[in-house]
Amino acid sequence: MVGPIISELANDYDGKIVVGKCDVEENDEVAAQFGVRNIPTILFFKGGELVDKFVGATSKDVLDEKFKALL
């Protein structure tokens, strides 16, 4: 549900923000490291530091605002 929105935003912000996806079922150590307990969970990093986390489904507008805040 959120995947297509993230893909759209990745295209919109290409060259400005790096977007990656992680399958937490195949990478449970990453999920444990960042405390991911629910899917979807979106982690926001800036300068290599975790600066924000969003859990649950949401709209493109909400995520777009989160992306803008990172710039």
Side-chain angles (χ1 to χ4, degrees):
M1 189 168 167
V2 175
I5 294 171
I6 296 294
S7 294
E8 276 184 54
L9 289 170
N11 287 330
D12 293 348
Y13 287 91
D14 188 34
K16 298 177 186 173
I17 293 178
V18 176
V19 177
K21 295 180 183 180
C22 177
D23 183 339
V24 295
E25 291 179 6
E26 292 183 15
N27 299 286
D28 56 346
E29 69 281 350
V30 175
Q33 179 182 358
F34 293 105
V36 175
R37 301 198 191 299
N38 298 309
I39 299 172
T41 295
I42 303 166
L43 304 175
F44 298 90
F45 294 86
K46 187 168 187 174
E49 300 285 325
L50 180 64
V51 295
D52 200 0
K53 179 190 273 191
F54 192 90
V55 179
T58 189
S59 69
K60 182 178 178 183
D61 292 337
V62 170
L63 291 177
D64 188 48
E65 288 301 316
K66 294 269 191 188
F67 275 49
K68 286 178 185 173
L70 293 173
L71 298 177

